[in-house]
Amino acid sequence: MKKTRLGISTSLLAALAYFTAAFGGYPATLLVCGYILLFEKDGKLRKSAVKALVLMVLFTAVLSFTSIFGTSTVGISSMVSPINAGSATVYTLVVLILSVLPKLVLSVLGILALLEKDKNVQASNENEQ
């Protein structure tokens, strides 16, 4: 099991990067991913940090784009036919899915990063026998 300069395993730090991106916001994510990119040399760990940061930015951009253009579309459609609220319901559903999807994807990646630690331990135990 590889250790980082902090003394924790690389899989735990990779999972921390994913979970911070999912639930911590930009300042915490930039702090964790910045530390990894500046001070850690493990390529797989650095790749995980970049992936967490890029996914966070990508999901934020998609949600912002949807919010900007979706709100104007719903507003125009409600002016044309104020009784029909079907487009508002679809828009609300899309925004809800786009709000939950990043947390779900980043959480799954964090769990997979944690489980990779167990795979490495099992593989090294099998090699020793």
Side-chain angles (χ1 to χ4, degrees), residues 2-95:
K2 293 181 183 177
K3 297 276 187 180
T4 62
R5 293 176 66 183
L6 293 174
I8 61 175
S9 69
T10 56
S11 59
L12 184 61
L13 192 56
L16 179 66
Y18 287 123
F19 290 134
T20 306
F23 303 109
Y26 276 101
T29 304
L30 289 174
L31 185 68
V32 171
C33 292
Y35 168 79
I36 292 171
L37 293 174
L38 289 174
F39 297 112
E40 297 298 334
K41 301 298 181 201
D42 185 48
K44 202 170 193 179
L45 179 60
R46 293 170 66 96
K47 185 177 177 181
S48 296
V50 169
K51 188 188 303 184
L53 195 57
V54 166
L55 283 174
M56 184 179 185
V57 169
L58 181 71
F59 281 127
T60 302
V62 169
L63 184 61
S64 298
F65 183 77
T66 304
S67 296
I68 290 171
F69 292 106
T71 305
S72 61
T73 306
V74 169
I76 291 170
S77 68
S78 66
M79 285 188 292
V80 174
S81 95
I83 297 173
N84 186 4
S87 61
T89 307
V90 170
Y91 169 73
T92 305
L93 182 64
V94 167
V95 169

Side-chain angles (χ1 to χ4, degrees), residues 87-107:
S87 61
T89 307
V90 170
Y91 169 73
T92 305
L93 182 64
V94 167
V95 169
L96 177 67
I97 290 170
L98 288 176
S99 297
V100 172
L101 188 64
K103 292 180 182 358
L104 183 66
V105 168
L106 289 166
S107 295

